[in-house]
Amino acid sequence: QVQLVESGGGLVQPGGSLRLSCTASGVMLGIYTMGWFRQAPEKQRELVASITSGDRTYYRDSVKGRFSISRDDDKNMVYLQMNSLKPSDTAVYYCNRAEGTPFLYDYWGQGTQVTVFS
């Protein structure tokens, strides 16, 4: 019943920006720590950023200063602003619960593709 739909990905040149959106249904996100994850070809899925219900944020070192995670609980949405993009940011990006059992743990959905190249 829980659905997490990511959008906003695309093809962008190095140094460019994208804003990803995660729209949830079947669950109220307000009390949960939410995160953005990404998976590049031949690599494991990794946590990129997370945000608690109190807006405490975490970023992996490789994106600090470039990415910003935010949430709008009234809209039941989570966002990821991605600036100064690098080719190494190329991956499929997913949103999911970042603490405890993920809302989606078998199939994480389609995610949204981010491709950074010149």
Side-chain angles (χ1 to χ4, degrees):
Q1 186 62 40
V2 175
Q3 294 186 114
L4 301 171
V5 180
E6 301 90 349
S7 63
L11 192 156
V12 64
Q13 292 183 326
S17 298
L18 288 171
R19 179 176 166 85
L20 308 184
S21 298
C22 171
T23 302
S25 61
V27 63
M28 294 185 295
L29 298 182
I31 66 171
Y32 299 105
T33 297
M34 295 297 298
W36 283 96
F37 303 75
R38 67 187 181 189
Q39 186 166 23
E42 306 287 275
K43 295 185 177 180
Q44 295 187 17
R45 183 181 292 117
E46 63 184 17
L47 177 65
V48 177
S50 64
I51 183 167
T52 70
S53 61
D55 291 337
R56 175 184 171 191
T57 58
Y58 158 85
Y59 302 93
R60 70 181 302 107
D61 287 343
S62 61
V63 308
K64 285 182 178 178
R66 301 189 297 118
F67 290 10
S68 180
I69 188 171
S70 61
R71 65 194 299 156
D72 186 337
D73 292 334
D74 290 336
K75 295 182 177 180
N76 220 28
M77 296 183 68
V78 185
Y79 307 94
L80 185 67
Q81 179 66 46
M82 310 165 66
N83 300 324
S84 302
L85 283 162
K86 305 175 179 180
S88 57
D89 295 318
T90 296
V92 179
Y93 284 70
Y94 305 88
C95 65
N96 212 333
R97 185 181 180 185
E99 290 184 351
T101 303
F103 293 131
L104 305 178
Y105 49 84
D106 184 15
Y107 175 62
W108 281 40
Q110 290 190 318
T112 186
Q113 175 72 52
V114 172
T115 302
V116 185
F117 86 108
S118 60

